Amino acid sequence: MLGWKLRLIIILLINLFCLNVFSQSTATTSRNLSTAEIQKNLSVILKDVSEIDGPGVPGGLCVFGPQAFAVVTGTTGRKGNAVLPVVAAAIFGQGRIAGLGHTGYFGSESLAKVNTGKLIINLIRWTSGKNSPRIVVIRENQLEAYLKSQQLTVSQGTGQDLSSELKDCDVLCCNSDRFGNDKSRAVVLEFIKKGGGVIATMTGWGWQQLNPKKSLDNDSAGNKVFAEAGIVWSGSMPGRTGQAGFTISGTPSKYCNAITALDTLQAQAAGKITVSKDEISQITTTLSDAVRSIPKENSIFWPGFSTIEARVATSAIPTEKKPIANTDGLAKVVLAYQIHRDQSLPPEQVKAHPAAAAFPGPVPKITPRVSERIIVETIIPRWHSTGLYAAPGELITVTVPESAADGKLLIRIGCHTDGLWNNEKWSRAPEITRKFLITNAVTKAACAFGGLIYIDVPKDCMMGDIPVQISGAVHAPYYILGKTSLQQWRNTIRNYQAPIAELQTDKLIISIPSIYVRDLNDPEPVMKFWDEVLDACADLACLDRNRPSPERFVSDVQISAGYMHSGYPLMSFLDAAPRFIKVDHLRNDGDWGMFHEIGHNHQNGDWTFNGAGEVTVNLFSLYILDTVCPKAPKHGAITLESRTKNMKKYFAEDAQFSKWQSDPFLALIMYVQLREAFGWDAFKKVIGEYRKLGSNEHPKNDEEKRDQWMVRFSRAIGKNLGPFFQAWNVPTSESARSSIADLPKWMPDNFPPRK
């Protein structure tokens, strides 16, 4: 028998040997791929690939593993100076994986477009390391047919018994949801680690919409598998870079990898390196997506992040006077992480975020918390105001009848829904509202930033009038035209301490900071004015004045795009807030910007061709000024002097239609000429025709839009507008012009102007 000393030596040697092997194995699988190694892999994956399709609206992927890398990227942000992956790949164990950001990439239509099919073939060969691999596809008939047409060996699986189906397989291709339960995921992971290849698809944002009660980062089957290798599907929507979808232009930035981006950002914050403005933009884009996408238990990314948060938290509080910019990269990333964390917390665990004090604002602790019963008329869709406000981080309780607890209704906290994720700087937290499905008679809700409380009703809801009890909230200044007592408004309501107030009619609801209504003695003339504006828009658009639901205008410290923008809600910056309630200003001076954005909500694409999007919208601005604000001065760009000057310049430069399309106020002159000659009734008659079109009568392309507008307007006024359109050099077809040749030709006086 061996002596105890010898046995001890042998055991120590064995342990040292195992430790060395383990260390080598760990180093092999966890070391970062070099730029040269990534390029070598990409040279295989992207061979003969210059562009791939963009089916539907592809979602993004987040790359963060040491041996994971972006393959194809799409733009993000209005300036397009940063990107996010739509295709990513990774080496994991002895195997390889690839993810694509839309389920349509395995469809025959997408496979046939540009080089999409070639990319899939390349990925199959790269993940397997073989020219003629054995492929299993799960419930992807169109992909199977395509691969067979490329003389590849393919078999169809069901996903019911992956252990058996992957037994003689080199590459698995499927929708990532096919990874299924824990057992199936374990089989897939083992398959990859032992050298198998997996190519999977998912549309991250679409998955989240279809699974509103679940978390994309923590509950998606695909992310549970791919996260092990440092890739997850995110909720982002990278923009196209090519006509068909996404073009290939060199190696994606190394900062598309979140670990690399985070290490660089920390080094920059410590003053160890200098990073360019464009690099910082890419780094913050990558990390803002990463902290909202990587599963919370992931061991690759999160270790040490809490230390960073503690160090940076005090600077992660944006304000209007001191916004957080891309140059404050760590602060941006930490704030993004905190928002995502707060959004996923159970209501009972939500605390007020420090940034809420800056915007939307605090609620004094001494303000009474109340319980109110309201009636929600579910025949009216979209948000129903309650006149109540949830204080930041405070729990509210919403009680509905059992019959209404079927998941159709939502509790919304906050009206400031513009996401600022793609903005270069943040003057407030980029996401400050939260929604809760009502699936029980009693629902708890809370938001770290607080906000006005709404009951959100889907279209065609048939529940009738529903009593809703809301407890734990505070009163907000809330005026309803025709219902709110003027005495109550003056003595009590306008002084309620919630930071956001609302003024409502059946046609429009205005949400502005409460400070602006404290001195508003009588909201009635203000809201009657806005009713006239909305009625004018309905009249010109040939819509019923009795709207299915009111439009909304919300003022915000920062919005996602422009100075104002259309939508639900319409959005403006805070400096516009006091103008909403200055009725003398509105009637006597008008407000072109506000009217313009409301106009966008009434435009019709059938009579708005390419280049006219910012033109036909101004018909509504003009109509409001003519009918509701006749004393208001006209926009400076359409005075007679300006029009004459612009037209002379346009025709002196050979009347290029591309110039017409790029200059909205130049193009508007053409419509003004028609209005001056034939009046608004002609416009209403033509617009009304579009409302009555049959399903096969709508214009199908831009040429048909121009043709129909010219022909319909000509018939409405009994004049041939063909020469008028030709003079402006707005393209129309010969057949369309021939169809109105029986009408007398019309041209404005002294038009076109002499060069």
Side-chain angles (χ1 to χ4, degrees):
M1 294 182 65
L2 294 172
W4 68 270
K5 289 184 178 180
L6 182 57
R7 289 199 302 272
L8 180 60
I9 291 171
I10 291 171
I11 291 170
L12 287 171
L13 288 172
I14 291 172
N15 285 340
L16 284 171
F17 175 77
C18 292
L19 179 61
N20 185 48
V21 170
F22 175 78
S23 298
Q24 289 178 356
S25 174
T26 302
T28 300
T29 58
S30 64
R31 71 173 181 81
N32 289 356
L33 289 176
S34 67
T35 301
E37 288 172 316
I38 292 173
Q39 289 173 338
K40 183 178 179 180
N41 285 298
L42 287 174
S43 69
V44 176
I45 296 171
L46 296 175
K47 184 180 180 181
D48 300 324
V49 178
S50 60
E51 185 175 3
I52 66 168
D53 185 32
V57 181
L61 293 100
C62 172
V63 174
F64 59 96
Q67 296 195 311
F69 53 94
V71 175
V72 181
T73 60
T75 61
T76 182
R78 293 186 302 282
K79 295 184 178 179
N81 57 349
V83 297
L84 287 173
V86 289
V87 181
I91 299 170
F92 184 53
Q94 300 301 311
R96 296 175 175 184
I97 63 172
L100 299 97
H102 199 282
T103 55
Y105 278 116
F106 283 168
S108 56
E109 183 178 349
S110 189
L111 289 165
K113 287 185 180 178
V114 284
N115 307 128
T116 311
K118 180 61 178 174
L119 174 68
I120 300 299
I121 298 294
N122 289 351
L123 284 171
I124 286 172
R125 288 176 174 151
W126 177 79
T127 54
S128 67
K130 298 179 180 180
N131 283 326
S132 301
R134 296 162 299 179
I135 307 160
V136 169
V137 301
I138 299 179
R139 299 180 187 179
E140 295 287 354
N141 295 334
Q142 294 177 11
L143 176 63
E144 179 188 16
Y146 174 78
L147 296 179
K148 285 182 176 178
S149 75
Q150 303 299 307
Q151 287 74 53
L152 290 172
T153 303
V154 191
S155 61
Q156 184 78 245
T158 65
Q160 298 299 313
D161 184 6
L162 284 175
S163 295
S164 175
E165 292 175 340
L166 297 181
K167 191 172 183 180
D168 296 314
C169 169
D170 296 309
V171 181
L172 168 65
C173 297
C174 64
N175 181 318
S176 65
D177 277 350
R178 306 301 184 199
F179 298 154
N181 55 31
D182 290 344
K183 181 180 178 181
S184 296
R185 289 191 290 273
V187 169
V188 173
L189 281 169
E190 189 66 17
F191 170 72
I192 300 168
K193 290 176 183 177
K194 289 184 176 180
V198 173
I199 304 171
T201 63
M202 180 165 68
T203 313
W205 64 266
W207 187 97
Q208 189 65 81
Q209 283 192 349
L210 293 172
N211 299 274
K213 296 180 184 180
K214 295 182 179 180
S215 162
L216 175 63
D217 47 356
N218 294 304
D219 296 327
S220 147
N223 281 347
K224 286 183 178 181
V225 172
F226 271 41
E228 297 290 322
I231 296 176
V232 291
W233 283 269
S234 75
S236 64
M237 298 180 188
R240 295 165 181 257
T241 57
Q243 187 172 358
F246 303 93
T247 55
I248 313 303
S249 55
T251 304
S253 168
K254 64 181 179 180
Y255 299 122
C256 286
N257 185 299
I259 289 291
T260 302
L262 186 60
D263 290 344
T264 302
L265 203 56
Q266 291 188 83
Q268 186 238 14
K272 295 179 180 179
I273 60 172
T274 301
V275 185
S276 72
K277 182 179 179 181
D278 285 345
E279 288 174 326
I280 282 291
S281 178
Q282 180 60 59
I283 287 168
T284 53
T285 295
T286 295
L287 289 172
S288 291
D289 193 49
V291 296
R292 292 178 285 149
S293 306
I294 299 173
K296 59 185 178 182
E297 302 300 329
N298 185 268
S299 60
I300 300 175
F301 183 80
W302 292 118
F305 193 87
S306 58
T307 304
I308 298 173
E309 182 190 9
R311 189 173 74 244
V312 178
T314 55
S315 61
I317 303 174
T319 66
E320 187 174 13
K321 293 182 178 179
K322 192 177 180 182
I324 296 178
N326 279 344
T327 50
D328 310 305
L330 281 178
K332 251 195 167 187
V333 172
V334 165
L335 180 56
Y337 162 71
Q338 291 173 338
I339 291 170
H340 179 65
R341 176 199 62 199
D342 291 346
Q343 288 283 347
S344 59
L345 283 175
E348 294 83 358
Q349 297 179 23
V350 173
K351 304 296 182 185
H353 194 284
F359 192 84
V363 174
K365 291 185 177 180
I366 61 171
T367 304
R369 273 53 176 173
V370 300
S371 180
E372 291 280 331
R373 183 178 182 270
I374 64 168
I375 300 296
V376 174
E377 300 176 73
T378 63
I379 194 174
I380 300 173
R382 304 202 283 194
W383 306 357
H384 285 246
S385 297
T386 64
L388 298 171
Y389 196 93
E394 290 190 16
L395 197 67
I396 64 167
T397 302
V398 178
T399 305
V400 301
E402 289 284 354
S403 59
D406 59 358
K408 293 180 181 177
L409 302 180
L410 283 167
I411 302 163
R412 169 178 286 283
I413 299 179
C415 58
H416 302 93
T417 56
D418 262 20
L420 309 180
W421 296 107
N422 292 332
N423 293 45
E424 290 190 2
K425 66 177 182 179
W426 297 340
S427 296
R428 63 154 168 86
E431 187 175 341
I432 60 174
T433 67
R434 195 168 175 189
K435 299 181 294 184
F436 299 84
L437 273 173
I438 297 179
T439 56
N440 296 294
V442 178
T443 305
K444 305 287 187 182
C447 177
F449 294 89
L452 287 167
I453 301 168
Y454 304 92
I455 303 300
D456 195 350
V457 177
K459 188 178 180 181
D460 298 323
C461 185
M462 307 299 290
M463 295 184 187
D465 293 354
I466 297 173
V468 178
Q469 191 78 27
I470 301 175
S471 303
V474 300
H475 282 127
Y478 181 39
Y479 174 87
I480 303 176
L481 181 64
K483 293 183 180 180
T484 304
S485 157
L486 184 59
Q487 183 178 2
Q488 285 182 313
W489 170 259
R490 288 176 176 173
N491 295 341
T492 307
I493 296 175
R494 65 176 171 175
N495 296 313
Y496 285 145
Q497 291 303 296
I500 306 297
E502 287 197 324
L503 308 173
Q504 175 174 334
T505 79
D506 292 339
K507 306 175 192 299
L508 179 71
I509 301 171
I510 298 170
S511 306
I512 58 176
S514 297
I515 55 172
Y516 296 115
V517 304
R518 305 290 188 216
D519 297 325
L520 180 61
N521 287 321
D522 188 359
E524 182 176 338
V526 176
M527 300 315 291
K528 283 186 173 180
F529 168 83
W530 283 112
D531 268 2
E532 291 178 46
V533 169
L534 271 293
D535 284 346
C537 289
D539 292 346
L540 184 58
C542 297
L543 295 169
D544 193 327
R545 286 186 171 189
N546 296 314
R547 297 169 178 269
S549 61
E551 299 290 340
R552 286 183 176 272
F553 233 129
V554 173
S555 57
D556 198 335
V557 70
Q558 185 180 6
I559 64 176
S560 59
Y563 173 64
M564 293 184 184
H565 71 71
S566 58
Y568 185 85
L570 300 119
M571 296 298 302
S572 76
F573 275 88
L574 287 183
D575 64 338
R579 302 206 307 271
F580 280 109
I581 57 175
K582 291 183 178 178
V583 69
D584 290 340
H585 153 74
L586 292 167
R587 284 207 181 274
N588 298 325
D589 301 322
D591 199 301
W592 184 277
M594 293 179 184
F595 303 159
H596 174 99
E597 299 306 338
I598 293 173
H600 272 306
N601 280 13
H602 293 80
Q603 262 178 310
N604 187 324
D606 282 347
W607 42 267
T608 302
F609 48 85
N610 187 30
E614 292 300 319
V615 184
T616 63
V617 62
N618 285 326
L619 292 174
F620 293 93
S621 301
L622 289 172
Y623 187 72
I624 294 166
L625 290 174
D626 281 356
T627 59
V628 182
C629 312
K631 296 180 181 179
K634 305 306 178 188
H635 195 288
I638 55 170
T639 61
L640 181 59
E641 181 181 0
S642 294
R643 285 158 48 192
T644 302
K645 180 180 178 181
N646 283 347
M647 281 194 294
K648 284 185 176 180
K649 185 173 185 296
Y650 176 66
F651 287 102
E653 296 174 353
D654 299 323
Q656 297 296 315
F657 181 55
S658 58
K659 172 63 176 173
W660 188 100
Q661 290 178 299
S662 64
D663 188 340
F665 282 107
L666 168 70
L668 184 61
I669 297 171
M670 185 177 180
Y671 294 83
V672 170
Q673 289 174 315
L674 293 172
R675 188 258 292 168
E676 289 179 341
F678 305 107
W680 287 114
D681 284 345
F683 280 88
K684 292 178 185 179
K685 183 176 180 181
V686 178
I687 291 171
E689 286 183 15
Y690 284 93
R691 293 283 175 197
K692 300 174 184 177
L693 293 182
S695 57
N696 295 323
E697 296 179 296
H698 295 272
K700 299 176 180 62
N701 52 47
D702 229 38
E703 181 178 322
E704 289 188 11
K705 288 181 181 182
R706 294 192 297 267
D707 281 355
Q708 281 202 27
W709 179 251
M710 178 189 69
V711 171
R712 292 182 186 282
F713 212 102
S714 295
R715 292 293 179 194
I717 61 176
K719 304 289 184 182
N720 180 352
L721 294 179
F724 178 60
F725 274 68
Q726 286 181 301
W728 272 105
N729 209 19
V730 174
T732 54
S733 68
E734 184 177 347
S735 61
R737 293 192 299 273
S738 296
S739 72
I740 52 175
D742 59 311
L743 299 173
K745 296 178 181 179
W746 176 84
M747 196 76 75
D749 294 337
N750 303 315
F751 182 80
R754 294 179 180 179
K755 298 182 181 180

